[in-house]
Amino acid sequence: MTAPLIPALATTAKDAAHPHTRTGIRTCTCTTPVLADRDDATVLRHGATVAKAHAPDTHPPDLAARLSVAAHPSLATTLLAPLHPTPTPLHGRLVTLWPYGTPVDRDAPDAAPWEAAATLLARLHAVPPATLPHPPPPMRGPAKAARAIARLHAAGPHPAAAPVLRAWADLPPWARAEAPPPGPHLLCHGDFHLGQLVRAPEGNWLLIDVDDLGTGAPAWDLARPAAWYACGLLAPEEWTRFLDAYRRSGGPALPADTADPWPVLDVPARALTVQTAALAITKSLAAARPLDEIEQSVVDACDRMSRLSRAGRTSGMTSRPAELAPETTK
């Protein structure tokens, strides 16, 4: 599907990186590495320019509105701004152009910028949507979770699917994209993880990827780190750094008058756990391999969630919910 797209996308990126080439000067020593090639996005870099082909089902007015948010001056220190305010059609896809930023180093987990990430999310959530020139569309976090479940159904049978689907059924309708989220609806990223940060040439961190940006429940943006921590995949020290930095920055997703974040984070953290488990199973089926240790841990968390939920139990814990916590932490 992406075979004819990638060469055309490479040419688009090269032309944007070197506008002089249009006058006939073709000298260029830059490489054009493909940074991602998935069903929902193809991304490559040429020099200081990144070209992204968005998912085939991208809604043009929604993407245009999201680009206008990223380009708004009030978000200049929060979101990476596009090089051009409008997408370009290419091989049936919408293409956007961005300046290159240095991603988080996956090989240096101790240097992960948790405080910077939390501060950026707090800034994003604090921007009143009404002040933006175009009303942002709804945040797509719950819709992505629902899409992961649809992919799990389509992938075929797997022994680990049952507890994941039970945990999904136990979530409230808004977390399954079947109803509007509870208010107030604030500006949200919609798919936050550390891979959504880049360091600009000036040295500051910025959020990237506007495909799921919009208005919704800001707790969703905190849910993936919360789920990782609750499942034992994120160290308590890193979780505390992230949570404290968000609160210090005045992040509105969490009430300022309580130390316990879980009444707010509980539902989105469960939803992100289910989404992660569903995608893990789908990928394992596609590769004809067993689940690895981390993938199995999120499936196990779904099993605990569904068992305790159906037993009518609540955790009563402030450190992490018992339904998500691995057995060794209870």
Side-chain angles (χ1 to χ4, degrees):
M1 179 174 63
T2 59
L5 173 66
I6 288 178
L9 193 62
T11 299
T12 299
K14 182 176 181 179
D15 288 345
H18 309 294
H20 63 275
T21 60
R22 295 170 186 162
T23 64
I25 302 173
R26 292 286 173 180
T27 302
C28 172
T29 59
C30 301
T31 60
T32 310
V34 176
L35 306 181
D37 187 19
R38 308 184 305 269
D39 291 342
D40 63 340
T42 299
V43 185
L44 53 79
R45 173 193 177 189
H46 188 91
T49 299
V50 172
K52 177 175 182 176
H54 297 258
D57 61 351
T58 297
H59 190 234
D62 285 353
L63 179 58
R66 292 179 167 113
L67 290 173
S68 73
V69 172
H72 195 265
S74 67
L75 288 152
T77 61
T78 306
L79 287 171
L80 185 70
L83 293 175
H84 300 288
T86 55
T88 302
L90 183 70
H91 285 277
R93 306 279 284 273
L94 292 175
V95 172
T96 53
L97 297 169
W98 306 83
Y100 176 75
T102 304
V104 174
D105 187 352
R106 295 183 179 181
D107 296 326
D110 292 341
W114 288 111
E115 290 88 353
T119 301
L120 290 171
L121 290 175
R123 283 185 201 157
L124 182 70
H125 298 163
V127 174
T131 65
L132 299 171
H134 301 286
M139 180 266 289
R140 295 183 63 248
K144 288 196 76 168
R147 187 171 65 187
I149 293 298
R151 288 180 60 185
L152 178 60
H153 281 295
H158 190 283
V164 176
L165 295 175
R166 287 196 300 268
W168 176 253
D170 291 335
L171 290 168
W174 76 265
R176 303 195 306 263
E178 297 172 359
H185 294 180
L186 303 181
L187 188 61
C188 308
H189 182 274
D191 188 30
F192 169 74
H193 51 81
L194 286 181
Q196 306 288 32
L197 269 73
V198 297
R199 193 186 289 275
E202 298 77 17
N204 55 306
W205 290 101
L206 294 169
L207 292 168
I208 62 170
D209 189 357
V210 299
D211 289 85
D212 304 303
L213 183 78
T215 54
W220 198 275
D221 285 344
L222 312 181
R224 186 174 271 110
W228 289 348
Y229 162 67
C231 292
L233 302 176
L234 180 65
E237 297 80 10
E238 293 175 315
W239 168 244
T240 299
R241 286 167 49 199
F242 176 76
L243 196 64
D244 288 351
Y246 183 82
R247 283 176 159 150
R248 283 196 307 270
S249 302
L254 301 176
D257 57 352
T258 177
D260 184 5
W262 290 108
V264 174
L265 297 178
D266 179 75
V267 167
R270 293 171 192 277
L272 263 297
T273 302
V274 172
Q275 176 182 323
T276 302
L279 291 176
I281 295 171
T282 302
K283 291 176 182 177
S284 73
L285 282 168
R289 59 165 178 81
L291 296 172
D292 63 28
E293 183 178 358
I294 292 177
E295 292 169 336
Q296 187 62 54
S297 71
V298 290
V299 171
D300 291 344
C302 290
D303 187 37
R304 290 189 295 274
M305 286 160 50
S306 63
R307 283 190 285 109
L308 292 175
S309 175
R310 287 165 189 250
R313 293 170 55 187
T314 58
S315 68
M317 297 176 66
T318 58
S319 59
R320 69 178 86 193
E323 292 92 331
L324 287 175
E327 298 292 341
T328 56
T329 69
K330 296 183 188 177

